[in-house]
């Protein structure tokens, strides 16, 4: 139990923010990538790895947060969407973190608030190293004590 709580705290501490954000709170808009494509398409410019220079990738000014949403509508097919939270019809509190959908393996949505931040492919290597290091230290300290 204590290790899982510790991991959750590390994940929150390594995210870009931990507070709940009210959409429209910020006066200055941020610039977000805006695109939609599917993994089974030969033209998957919005997927991972992301091709931000593709002619079909646009930018949008956003008063909310930038979003990257990856869903699997059917097994083996992924829908990649990068946009502004203002363009989505979702009923949820927005946090500046990534969240899994309630049904495992069906999707993941990430929110961020810096220019072009929704270009990311995955968790930054620095965050993975931070989490791994503190997890190892936690296990060692727990074992010794």
């Amino acid at each position: 139990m204590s290790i899982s709580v510790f991991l959750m705290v590390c994940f929150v501490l390594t995210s870009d923010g931990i507070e709940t954000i009210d959409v429209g709170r910020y006066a200055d808009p941020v610039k977000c990538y805006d695109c939609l494509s599917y993994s089974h398409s030969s033209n998957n410019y919005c997927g991972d790895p992301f091709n931000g220079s593709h002619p079909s990738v646009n930018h949008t000014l956003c008063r909310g947060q930038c979003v990257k949403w990856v869903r699997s509508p059917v097994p083996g097919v992924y829908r990649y969407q990068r946009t502004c939270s203002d363009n989505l019809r979702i009923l949820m509190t927005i946090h500046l973190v990534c969240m899994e959908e309630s049904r495992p393996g069906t999707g993941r949505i990430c929110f961020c608030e810096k220019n072009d931040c929704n270009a990311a492919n995955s968790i930054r290597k620095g965050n993975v190293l931070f989490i791994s290091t503190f997890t190892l230290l936690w296990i060692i300290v727990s074992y010794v004590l």
Side-chain angles (χ1 to χ4, degrees):
M1 166 93 176
S2 62
I3 290 177
S4 62
V5 170
F6 177 78
L7 290 175
M8 288 171 47
V9 170
C10 281
F11 178 76
V12 170
L13 290 176
T14 59
S15 68
D16 287 334
I18 58 173
E19 64 181 89
T20 301
I21 301 300
D22 295 326
V23 174
R25 184 178 104 180
Y26 297 102
D28 297 327
V30 329
K31 184 175 68 170
C32 303
Y33 284 107
D34 193 18
C35 60
L36 174 67
S37 68
Y38 289 84
S39 62
H40 68 285
S41 168
S42 60
N43 200 13
N44 186 18
Y45 53 86
C46 197
D48 292 328
F50 181 55
N51 182 2
S53 63
H54 192 278
S56 295
V57 174
N58 299 307
H59 275 99
T60 185
L61 285 179
C62 180
R63 293 224 177 256
Q65 290 74 37
C66 295
V67 178
K68 177 186 174 192
W69 194 358
V70 181
R71 297 184 65 206
S72 181
V74 295
V77 174
Y78 295 93
R79 177 185 185 270
Y80 294 91
Q81 182 175 13
R82 298 169 199 266
T83 191
C84 171
S85 61
D86 298 340
N87 298 334
L88 298 177
R89 295 180 63 193
I90 54 176
L91 299 173
M92 63 184 284
T93 303
I94 294 176
H95 298 275
L96 297 179
V97 295
C98 295
M99 295 175 273
E100 300 288 331
E101 290 192 28
S102 58
R103 290 171 291 163
T106 59
R108 179 178 178 94
I109 190 167
C110 300
F111 299 95
C112 56
E113 62 181 357
K114 295 179 183 168
N115 286 330
D116 295 334
C117 60
N118 61 340
N121 289 329
S122 61
I123 296 176
R124 292 180 302 226
K125 290 179 182 177
N127 288 351
V128 173
L129 179 61
F130 178 82
I131 292 169
S132 300
T133 302
F134 277 99
T135 301
L136 181 59
L137 288 173
W138 179 261
I139 292 170
I140 292 169
V141 168
S142 296
Y143 181 74
V144 171
L145 299 176

